[in-house]
Amino acid sequence: MHQPPAKFVLDEEGRRGMAINSMVSGGCIISGAMVRESLLFSDVRVEERTIIERSVILPHALIGGGCHIRGAIIDEGCDIPDGMRIGLDRAEDAQRFLVTEKGVVLVTSDMLRRLSP
Amino acid sequence: MSRQPARASSGRYVSRLTGGTLAVIMAGGRGERLKDLTEHRCKPATPFGGKFRIVDFVLSNCVNSGIRQISILTQYKAQSLIAHVQRGWSYLRGEFGEFVETIPAQQQKGPVWYRGTADAVHQNIDLILSHRPKHVLVLAGDHIYKMDYGPMIAYHVEKGADITVGVVEVPASESRHFGVLTATEWNRVTRFSEKPAVPDTLPGRPDTILASMGIYVFNTRLLQRLLEEDAADDTSAHDFGKNIIPKTLSSTLQVFAYPFQDVKTRAQSYWRDVGTLDAYYEANL
């Protein structure tokens, strides 16, 4: 129920934990990653060199390192593997996930599971 | 138990009204247009705004309005909603007659699950009557807004209304997403169209329409009668917006529209139906 404050760690060029124009809820850990214009729910972990832009990340999601996520809704508990790109290539996204009329990409655990059988 | 209602000039008037009101929150639907987001949870249980779930907004509105008797009707994939309500909304005091209860669909009136929003309330009418409320406030459980329901109930009583429908002003171009009301300048409702392609616009304002917020104040006995009549009608879809309200407009019943506005500025207050993934995304950010 009660989470510790959000934590931002690492401070090197290209590996700096930060969030700009965003809301980051309690329990989150942003480790050497950039979060921009996004909303992170509780207990979301973002790993090194990842960039998250204009996205809504639901609770307990785990975003791997070196990812680039833009204009997405990441459902509760999703485990995004290292290096995944979401919201950058509409055709690629439409094959793996659900893309809305306005181009928002919805990613759920079920969809991710279907990608790696 | 008929006690003299407090006079409008005594400060207790509105609090006595809200104290005698039972809120019934419709949380039985899936919200198909949220697609995979409601694969494993119902729409009101969907997380929103970093810390909340969609249903928290209407629950908070009730409690802060002084309405502390709340029944939540559930059906589709209700478990995460029930758990959330138990963990997060258990602080009301039963000793004061306050409660938030979740009522599952129980086939109370025969071997059918809920056939529509009105049917859901009809199947639970005995439970509702057992609390002996003077008014029933039917609320959609899937909208984002902050509202004090007290003034709406006071408006309902002052107008001598049989039913009061909460409304917001929206662009006419979005009429296909809403139940649209036509009202006189005194806010008496004359017409209700469900998702019309060509809506009735506000007089003198051709690009604005009145959309139903899906919130209704009913006098309890009238609600019971309307639901019973509707249940017996096999041609009905048993929906408040499509059936119950339109039927009343051709009778002598007084149905009024209550505009949801900022009290001081009369500007339209924030209200969102996060019914589609795009709407959900935009409202969160």
Side-chain angles (χ1 to χ4, degrees):
Chain A
M1 249 314 21
H2 291 289
Q3 308 262 21
K7 180 159 95 167
F8 300 82
V9 292
L10 296 182
D11 189 12
E12 296 161 26
E13 201 57 45
R15 240 180 30 133
R16 184 166 287 134
M18 51 193 293
I20 294 176
N21 282 331
S22 298
M23 282 172 80
V24 181
S25 304
C28 287
I29 301 178
I30 313 299
S31 174
M34 159 71 85
V35 174
R36 199 184 274 280
E37 292 174 63
S38 295
L39 170 65
L40 269 55
F41 283 68
S42 306
D43 190 42
V44 170
R45 191 183 184 117
V46 187
E47 297 289 0
E48 295 182 20
R49 303 187 193 278
T50 284
I51 300 172
I52 299 186
E53 299 174 288
R54 300 200 303 272
S55 294
V56 178
I57 320 272
L58 267 49
H60 316 298
L62 173 48
I63 317 289
C67 296
H68 195 159
I69 299 175
R70 180 191 290 167
I73 300 170
I74 309 291
D75 199 3
E76 200 160 347
C78 274
D79 194 340
I80 309 289
D82 292 345
M84 184 165 264
R85 293 154 31 106
I86 300 171
L88 303 176
D89 180 331
R90 185 146 184 173
E92 189 186 31
D93 293 326
Q95 293 210 322
R96 304 175 292 168
F97 308 121
L98 189 151
V99 183
T100 72
E101 260 181 42
K102 294 195 182 171
V104 176
V105 185
L106 172 65
V107 178
T108 67
S109 296
D110 285 348
M111 294 173 190
L112 289 167
R113 223 170 293 131
R114 285 195 282 267
L115 286 181
S116 48
Chain B
M1 177 167 116
S2 67
R3 73 153 90 104
Q4 289 287 31
R7 286 188 317 186
S9 54
S10 93
R12 298 280 275 128
Y13 174 61
V14 177
S15 67
R16 287 235 168 91
L17 286 180
T18 57
T21 299
L22 172 73
V24 176
I25 299 176
M26 314 298 304
R30 168 178 174 163
E32 290 85 4
R33 290 172 300 160
L34 288 181
K35 306 279 171 74
D36 297 67
L37 214 48
T38 52
E39 185 68 40
H40 299 293
R41 54 158 95 84
C42 62
K43 183 173 168 188
T46 304
F48 187 89
K51 251 185 112 141
F52 317 103
R53 297 191 187 240
I54 291 176
V55 74
D56 291 334
F57 289 84
V58 70
L59 281 172
S60 169
N61 288 341
C62 286
V63 169
N64 285 304
S65 300
I67 297 169
R68 307 259 165 105
Q69 303 191 310
I70 302 163
S71 302
I72 305 176
L73 304 188
T74 70
Q75 182 169 245
Y76 176 83
K77 300 236 172 114
Q79 187 48 35
S80 61
L81 176 65
I82 295 170
H84 171 69
V85 170
Q86 283 180 348
R87 272 181 237 135
W89 287 92
S90 294
Y91 51 78
L92 298 189
R93 304 301 319 219
E95 292 90 330
F96 292 133
E98 303 176 348
F99 60 84
V100 178
E101 64 184 9
T102 51
I103 307 178
Q106 299 173 77
Q107 297 195 346
Q108 301 226 48
K109 303 251 179 199
V112 280
W113 299 114
Y114 295 147
R115 297 174 292 175
T117 53
D119 185 51
V121 181
H122 173 65
Q123 289 200 27
N124 290 292
I125 196 66
D126 294 331
L127 263 164
I128 289 167
L129 292 173
S130 74
H131 297 302
R132 293 186 294 167
K134 194 146 184 295
H135 296 103
V136 176
L137 177 63
V138 175
L139 298 166
D142 53 3
H143 298 147
I144 307 293
Y145 62 114
K146 182 162 119 171
M147 181 177 181
D148 181 353
Y149 299 126
M152 180 175 169
I153 302 169
Y155 177 92
H156 172 87
V157 171
E158 279 156 22
K159 289 281 198 186
D162 293 298
I163 305 173
T164 298
V165 183
V167 297
V168 283
E169 290 179 6
V170 301
S173 52
E174 296 182 18
S175 61
R176 283 160 299 112
H177 301 296
F178 297 105
V180 178
L181 281 95
T182 316
T184 68
E185 60 192 285
W186 300 281
N187 286 328
R188 172 108 192 259
V189 179
T190 53
R191 201 158 160 238
F192 193 119
S193 323
E194 188 66 25
K195 302 189 180 18
V198 185
D200 286 345
T201 60
L202 284 173
R205 297 172 60 192
D207 25 70
T208 310
I209 55 175
L210 284 180
S212 167
M213 294 168 72
I215 72 183
Y216 315 98
V217 183
F218 286 96
N219 300 331
T220 307
R221 285 293 162 194
L222 172 67
L223 176 64
Q224 181 187 13
R225 176 166 72 79
L226 290 174
L227 292 177
E228 262 157 32
E229 285 168 5
D230 178 78
D233 179 0
D234 286 327
T235 65
S236 170
H238 309 295
D239 182 271
F240 277 109
K242 291 192 201 117
N243 308 106
I244 302 285
I245 303 295
K247 234 181 278 180
T248 61
L249 298 179
S250 51
S251 71
T252 54
L253 291 175
Q254 307 268 326
V255 181
F256 279 87
Y258 176 81
F260 178 37
Q261 293 166 340
D262 181 280
V263 173
K264 286 190 217 126
T265 69
R266 307 280 244 119
Q268 180 59 61
S269 299
Y270 182 95
W271 178 86
R272 290 289 183 275
D273 174 357
V274 289
T276 64
L277 283 170
D278 284 324
Y280 173 83
Y281 173 82
E282 279 159 30
N284 265 292
L285 288 178

